[in-house]
Amino acid sequence: MKLEIIIVSTRPGRIGDQVGAWITKYAKAHSDFDISVADLNEINLPMFDEPGHPMKGKYQNEHTKVWSQRINQADAFVVVTPEYNYTIPPTLVNAIDYLHHEWKHKAVGFVGYGGTGAVRAIQTEKLLFTNLNVMPIPYAVNLMGVHSPAVTTFVPEEAHERAADRMLAELHLWATALKTLRATA
Ligand SMILES: Cc1cc2nc3c(=O)[nH]c(=O)nc-3n(C[C@H](O)[C@H](O)[C@H](O)COP(=O)(O)O)c2cc1C
């Protein structure tokens, strides 16, 4: 079961890379997923620039084709997300909008951080993903008070690991069921 961990923040000085590194290491040690990391800062997608609707899957740009293959091969996703102005960071909306069928009938879990663990952003992200037939896992990892520049080093706690265990276990269940669904759909 292939898991793509998507690091959303592209901000210079971000703490998202530390949070992403933590959940990647933790998931490698405590889940049965085969894991890779899609850091949106490295992937560096421009603002959406495809002429056609992604539903058609006819992409003109090389960066879209590469992103399409990346998401297509995954069975599940973990989104490592901050919250900007109580909602979804635009980098994630942009990365989601580029594609359509590549997301379909897969599952997504969330690791949110910030003042309140990105709870409002995650609720909105769940809604956006359901429009693409992605199953959002209700159990999220909410890292309260983890926000830069006030916090420069993310130090994970036991409660974070318990939350990660619960989210990853549920994500694996759904990913397994949805793989069967995709094979029969
Ligand atoms: C434009 C902007 C808007 C923000 N809005 C929120 C917010 O609504 N809620 C919150 O908890 N933190 C907010 N923050 C603070 C972020 O939680 C904090 O900067 C966090 O570290 C951002 O993630 P990053 O460091 O990985 O980029 C905001 C930060 C920025 C730059």
Side-chain angles (χ1 to χ4, degrees):
M1 205 63 62
K2 289 186 181 160
L3 172 64
E4 194 73 56
I5 296 180
I6 301 174
I7 299 177
V8 167
S9 176
T10 58
R11 193 179 64 85
R14 65 187 177 161
I15 203 164
D17 52 352
Q18 291 183 46
V19 176
W22 165 70
I23 192 64
T24 301
K25 192 173 168 199
Y26 193 82
K28 280 183 177 169
H30 297 91
S31 79
D32 294 328
F33 285 111
D34 172 11
I35 295 168
S36 58
V37 178
D39 183 341
L40 294 186
N41 191 45
E42 287 167 16
I43 287 170
N44 200 21
L45 289 166
M47 284 297 282
F48 183 70
D49 62 354
E50 285 289 335
H53 194 294
M55 204 180 271
K56 304 273 184 209
K58 288 199 166 60
Y59 305 125
Q60 289 198 354
N61 300 311
E62 192 54 31
H63 54 256
T64 315
K65 291 173 189 169
V66 171
W67 183 231
S68 166
Q69 278 173 10
R70 185 89 189 238
I71 296 304
N72 205 36
Q73 56 83 43
D75 298 300
F77 311 101
V78 164
V79 170
V80 178
T81 183
E83 174 176 274
Y84 290 162
N85 297 316
Y86 288 18
T87 192
I88 316 179
T91 48
L92 180 61
V93 178
N94 193 48
I96 292 173
D97 284 352
Y98 259 98
L99 309 176
H100 189 88
H101 294 288
E102 296 86 340
W103 301 109
K104 195 174 181 180
H105 295 151
K106 296 177 180 177
V108 62
F110 300 88
V111 176
Y113 57 94
T116 56
V119 284
R120 293 159 295 221
I122 290 171
Q123 284 306 104
T124 316
E125 288 164 13
K126 286 177 177 172
L127 189 64
L128 175 50
F129 272 116
T130 58
N131 289 322
L132 290 156
N133 268 294
V134 182
M135 171 63 199
I137 303 305
Y139 302 135
V141 181
N142 300 110
L143 308 171
M144 308 279 182
V146 177
H147 51 90
S148 161
V151 176
T152 51
T153 307
F154 168 55
V155 182
E157 297 164 13
E158 210 185 312
H160 300 155
E161 296 180 353
R162 281 199 302 274
D165 284 338
R166 198 162 74 148
M167 181 272 285
L168 289 166
E170 193 75 4
L171 183 65
H172 199 277
L173 276 179
W174 275 100
T176 306
L178 289 170
K179 193 164 190 172
T180 308
L181 184 147
R182 288 200 305 283
T184 57

